[in-house]
Amino acid sequence: MATGESLRSLSFSFRISQSYITRIIQLVLKSLSTHLTPVLLKPPLKEDLVRIAHDFWHKWNFPNCVGAIDGKHICIFSPKKSRSLFFNYKDLFSIVLLAIVDANCKFLFVDIVSYGKEGDSGIFNKSSISQIISTGEYFPSPEKLPDSNASLLLVHIGDEAFRLDRHMMRVLILGLRQEKIIKRLCSTTDFPGVFYTPISLKTETVDNLVLTASCLHNLLRDRYLENTNYYYYNFDDKTPQPSENMMSLARTGEYTNFEGFFVRGEFNTFFNSPQGAVPWQNHQSINRLE
């Protein structure tokens, strides 16, 4: 996992046959993923989500957010007789890691059983976390916005690949700083060297490999946060706040619903208010998103 060396190279280094190394890797990864997941990837409780929303506000200036969601293609060699199942739009063969992370870049949820040809929104809709959310028992009660008496639902933020919904905000519409949040949080995962080249393992073993790497990432993030004592970004409060930092919104025929429009409008109002605006945001940069 650390080096990404081929099995043939490892067989020479350790003087073990390639077939036996393959067996060792399968057993070790299966054992690690089985024992580490309940400890390092536990489903968050409602009180955990409230804490995560607090972290998102203090670190990223986004209130009532309990996770950033995005997908990542894990490049593999084409499995036999798979045809186009694993072939993605990047002209590569892959499986998709769909992840929800918190404000400290720790995984809250991962889904690693989808083909490369599938889109992020479709993967999310069939995932176990989507089933839990649909029951209405996952999110805590609406929380008050900072320095405001208005209460608003807790939400996830994603890019334009996801459906706008009451608990899913699309960051492209919300503005430049929200796009930076999702891209930074979901692209700063410190994966080991094995992910820099196509992985030559069975798809079941690759699933265990990615799950184990996700658990180890959370372990390292915990150690880092302990050493840094949850460092928060400090912005210059003396800089004048911009008077206009959001684009006007227009309804379109995209796959959305009315509640999603309402929740997004409430966030838009908050980000345009003195309580929600930040000094490093500007109207001209957001125009480039369209």
Side-chain angles (χ1 to χ4, degrees):
M1 289 180 65
T3 63
E5 287 192 49
S6 67
L7 300 183
R8 183 176 178 83
S9 173
L10 292 174
S11 68
F12 286 116
S13 300
F14 294 94
R15 287 178 168 77
I16 301 176
S17 68
Q18 183 174 334
S19 61
Y20 197 68
I21 286 182
T22 303
R23 181 64 176 163
I24 291 173
I25 290 175
Q26 291 175 346
L27 292 175
V28 171
L29 289 177
K30 184 176 181 180
S31 179
L32 285 174
S33 61
T34 301
H35 290 86
L36 292 180
T37 301
V39 178
L40 298 172
L41 269 175
K42 295 186 296 184
L45 303 175
K46 289 186 177 182
E47 50 267 31
D48 297 325
L49 296 180
V50 173
R51 175 186 55 78
I52 291 169
H54 179 269
D55 288 344
F56 262 101
W57 169 244
H58 284 278
K59 296 192 72 170
W60 300 100
N61 301 107
F62 199 119
N64 289 26
C65 177
V66 294
I69 182 171
D70 201 4
K72 176 179 176 61
H73 287 275
I74 306 297
C75 191
I76 62 174
F77 283 98
S78 176
K80 293 181 179 180
K81 300 181 180 180
S82 63
R83 299 186 180 180
S84 61
L85 287 176
F86 295 91
F87 193 71
N88 61 41
Y89 69 96
K90 299 181 179 181
D91 294 335
L92 300 170
F93 293 93
S94 67
I95 62 171
V96 180
L97 164 63
L98 184 74
I100 299 177
V101 299
D102 65 12
N104 297 301
C105 301
K106 284 185 56 181
F107 289 111
L108 300 174
F109 169 83
V110 295
D111 182 286
I112 325 168
V113 295
S114 300
Y115 299 117
K117 71 172 187 176
E118 299 183 73
D120 291 348
S121 183
I123 296 172
F124 174 73
N125 290 336
K126 70 176 186 179
S127 65
S128 59
I129 187 65
S130 178
Q131 308 295 330
I132 297 173
I133 290 175
S134 63
T135 63
E137 299 296 326
Y138 179 75
F139 289 99
S141 302
E143 293 282 328
K144 288 186 177 181
L145 293 172
D147 301 321
S148 173
N149 292 324
S151 296
L152 199 58
L153 296 171
L154 277 72
V155 298
H156 291 131
I157 54 173
D159 58 20
E160 66 276 10
F162 295 92
R163 172 193 175 187
L164 176 65
D165 205 343
R166 64 200 302 259
H167 290 297
M168 178 70 74
M169 294 293 101
R170 293 173 53 173
V171 297
L172 182 66
I173 303 299
L174 282 176
L176 181 61
R177 63 173 170 162
Q178 282 71 47
E179 185 182 39
K180 288 181 178 179
I181 292 172
I182 183 73
K183 295 303 179 185
R184 181 168 182 179
L185 286 177
C186 294
S187 63
T188 54
T189 305
D190 299 322
F191 275 159
V194 68
F195 295 102
Y196 290 108
T197 57
I199 302 174
S200 181
L201 295 171
K202 293 182 179 180
T203 54
E204 297 85 356
T205 307
V206 176
D207 292 344
N208 289 327
L209 172 66
V210 177
L211 183 57
T212 300
S214 302
C215 293
L216 294 176
H217 169 80
N218 277 3
L219 180 66
L220 295 175
R221 289 299 301 170
D222 281 335
R223 185 62 178 270
Y224 170 78
L225 295 171
E226 289 175 3
N227 293 335
T228 57
N229 195 24
Y230 283 82
Y231 171 77
Y232 289 113
Y233 291 93
N234 293 318
F235 298 107
D236 182 11
D237 295 331
K238 298 180 181 180
T239 306
Q241 297 279 349
S243 59
E244 294 184 359
N245 53 19
M246 287 290 158
M247 296 172 54
S248 58
L249 302 177
R251 297 194 178 189
T252 63
E254 60 195 13
Y255 186 45
T256 56
N257 63 26
F258 176 78
E259 290 181 324
F261 278 113
F262 174 78
V263 175
R264 186 177 66 180
E266 293 295 316
F267 273 111
N268 184 46
T269 301
F270 175 74
F271 289 132
N272 276 296
S273 68
Q275 294 84 4
V278 292
W280 44 270
Q281 212 178 313
N282 62 80
H283 182 65
Q284 292 180 349
S285 61
I286 295 175
N287 280 332
R288 292 199 294 269
L289 292 175
E290 287 298 316

